[in-house]
Amino acid sequence: MLGAVLVGVLLAASAARADGMLQVQSPAVYDSAAYGVPRVKQECAVDSTVAEHVFRKIVDKYPDTQQIQDPAKMETGKVLKLTILSVQGIGGGGWTGSKGITVRADLVQDGRTIQTLVRKERSRGGLFGPVMGTCAILDEVSESLGQYFAIWLSKLDATPAGSSATAASAQPAFGAAASPADQINDQAEP
């Protein structure tokens, strides 16, 4: 009897921990209509690189964050789904023009999308821009995306849901339903 009670308490505690923890999809997935040079996407492992940088930046702000490969297997809890919409750039490094990645991040709680952000980041050149390889440039772009999504999530977490300042509505935005006015686009600054 005591063993069954203990198992029940442990399972409830585990479920509570999973419900309050954010998980980040890794690797990111490509949208079915995503464009980009297949060789660059494969050689630079853009799906893994984007997910890793997003995960690292979010872990800096939320240390309990974990990675999950298949968000569809989560029945409860919060997950940040990452979908690559495009990879701009060809091989040849900085000599062949700008490189960029567009990613859609969907914040999902208990199977329901509560916030979405689409963000495009591009290479900005810099001192070593012309001599960097394509993968190194896309890695820097991925790091910038990770930083942006981490800031976005921290702003969502700090913003009370709803427009009133009552205690009942002062829940973190992670649990709030998204409205079109709440959506942040790629023109907004973090």
Side-chain angles (χ1 to χ4, degrees):
M1 175 79 171
L2 181 60
V5 170
L6 183 59
V7 168
V9 168
L10 290 174
L11 287 174
S14 175
R17 245 190 341 266
D19 187 44
M21 178 180 20
L22 177 65
Q23 297 198 38
V24 176
Q25 181 179 17
S26 183
V29 295
Y30 287 99
D31 185 76
S32 60
Y35 64 90
V37 178
R39 183 175 172 189
V40 170
K41 292 190 307 189
Q42 182 180 7
E43 284 182 13
C44 298
V46 175
D47 54 348
S48 295
T49 302
V50 165
E52 187 60 32
H53 281 295
V54 171
F55 175 71
R56 282 189 208 157
K57 296 298 183 180
I58 291 173
V59 162
D60 288 346
K61 295 182 182 293
Y62 302 98
D64 290 338
T65 301
Q66 294 184 354
Q67 293 176 310
I68 185 169
Q69 189 170 6
D70 186 2
K73 292 182 179 177
M74 275 186 63
E75 293 179 18
T76 62
K78 293 175 278 212
V79 65
L80 186 67
K81 293 172 61 176
L82 301 169
T83 305
I84 298 171
L85 304 177
S86 70
V87 178
Q88 174 195 358
I90 59 175
W95 298 106
T96 57
S98 179
K99 312 291 183 250
I101 304 171
T102 304
V103 176
R104 182 182 71 235
D106 296 300
L107 183 60
V108 177
Q109 182 161 1
D110 300 333
R112 195 178 109 234
T113 302
I114 58 173
Q115 289 284 335
T116 295
L117 172 67
V118 173
R119 179 74 181 176
K120 179 178 185 176
E121 284 290 328
R122 289 182 229 152
S123 58
R124 292 180 175 79
L127 181 62
F128 297 108
V131 296
M132 290 177 71
T134 297
C135 293
I137 293 170
L138 290 173
D139 185 67
E140 285 189 356
V141 170
S142 296
E143 185 173 3
S144 181
L145 283 165
Q147 181 68 33
Y148 192 87
F149 288 130
I151 291 169
W152 173 64
L153 286 175
S154 67
K155 284 186 173 189
L156 288 177
D157 200 27
T159 304
S163 58
S164 75
T166 65
S169 67
Q171 298 297 321
F174 283 149
S179 71
D182 293 333
Q183 301 299 316
I184 301 173
N185 63 36
D186 64 337
Q187 302 301 315
E189 291 300 317

